[in-house]
Amino acid sequence: MVTTPVFHLAPLPAVDVFTLAGPEGRHAATVRRLRVGERLDVTDGAGHALRCEVAAVRRDELDCRVLDRAHTPAPVPRLVVVQALAKGDRGELAVEMLTEVGVDEIVPWSAARSVVRWDGERGARSRGRWVASAAEAAKQARRARWPLVAELAGTVAVRDRLAVAGLGLVLHESAAEPLAGLPAGRAGDWPPAGEIVLVVGPEGGISDEELAGFGKAGARSVRLGPTVLRTSTAGVAAAAVLLAATGRWDG
């Protein structure tokens, strides 16, 4: 079975036949080499999607005929992952996998022990790569709702986000409470209302000062298991546990 390719267009047109042009149209026509009669999906990344077939093909664009319109409601609870900046391409890898499993927002965090720093134009380019990684992964995963990649956050901003979350969690290897046992533990109503905010530290770990500040904001320290995961995979593993526990993966 061939998977129907997904392309991005925002806003989506209200007409029944439209042209997919620009980079997305060029990719569909020249890279994917779609032909008349073949199917494709076009989404705005905000929950709306058009099921289409190709009506005409030109060098760098396609005409698409709308067969059906679909809407994916916002999932509850919303899952936000605060991902510490990582060396090399590990940050982009984390974004890719977090997008594929279904996270709703990814917040890049400049932690005290982050080796990488996003300053000036370099920071803008780095965030741009995170945004591009999320977009490509969302297409691959056939998501109608794409994750938001937030602006770079400092520790104070992360603490403030945790303070207003429905549930704030910080991954820490020395935590006594296991994440997998959370629904049966002291979580109260499950799933929690509002946002779940999950903090993933850098390679060097979360500092004592950061951990104390997050605790004062109401966040709970949890561990994944007996092994220590890389920052690029810890958030993905934890997100999978939370998405399953809250019923997000039941649909």
Side-chain angles (χ1 to χ4, degrees):
M1 180 179 177
V2 179
T3 302
T4 304
V6 177
F7 299 92
H8 182 257
L9 180 62
L12 291 178
V15 296
D16 292 333
V17 178
F18 65 94
T19 298
L20 183 65
E24 294 290 86
R26 188 175 306 111
H27 184 78
T30 64
V31 178
R32 295 300 299 258
R33 296 183 179 276
L34 295 181
R35 296 295 177 255
V36 173
E38 291 189 297
R39 297 295 182 87
L40 70 156
D41 291 346
V42 182
T43 179
D44 61 0
H48 301 89
L50 304 178
R51 315 301 184 197
C52 306
E53 70 175 7
V54 180
V57 181
R58 291 178 291 280
R59 180 178 179 180
D60 291 329
E61 60 186 24
L62 301 175
D63 287 344
C64 304
R65 181 178 295 107
V66 178
L67 304 176
D68 187 31
R69 297 175 184 268
H71 174 68
T72 301
V76 177
R78 192 168 184 269
L79 179 55
V80 178
V81 173
V82 176
Q83 175 66 55
L85 303 184
K87 295 183 294 184
D89 61 354
R90 294 195 180 279
E92 292 161 49
L93 176 61
V95 169
E96 178 181 332
M97 294 190 293
L98 289 169
T99 299
E100 290 177 359
V101 298
V103 164
D104 302 296
E105 183 178 350
I106 303 164
V107 181
W109 171 36
S110 182
R113 294 176 179 169
S114 292
V115 175
V116 175
R117 296 295 170 186
W118 284 7
D119 299 318
E121 292 185 6
R122 177 183 178 183
R125 290 194 300 270
S126 296
R127 180 177 176 274
R129 287 193 293 270
W130 280 36
V131 171
S133 295
E136 290 305 312
K139 292 178 185 178
Q140 176 67 32
R142 302 185 56 75
R143 289 186 58 168
R145 285 189 173 274
W146 293 13
L148 169 67
V149 177
E151 297 291 340
L152 179 65
T155 297
V156 172
V158 173
R159 187 184 63 204
D160 291 345
R161 189 71 178 265
L162 289 166
V164 297
L167 176 63
L169 301 170
V170 181
L171 291 183
H172 196 276
E173 62 188 70
S174 299
E177 186 176 14
L179 177 63
L182 189 62
R186 300 178 289 108
D189 293 335
W190 192 266
E195 291 184 339
I196 298 176
V197 177
L198 173 72
V199 178
V200 182
E203 289 94 338
I206 297 174
S207 71
D208 292 341
E209 292 78 9
E210 289 169 331
L211 194 62
F214 295 160
K216 289 180 180 178
R220 297 160 59 178
S221 295
V222 293
R223 57 179 168 79
L224 275 172
T227 60
V228 178
L229 278 67
R230 291 183 182 273
T231 185
S232 55
T233 53
V236 180
V241 172
L242 291 168
L243 290 165
T246 57
R248 287 271 304 265
W249 275 4
D250 292 347

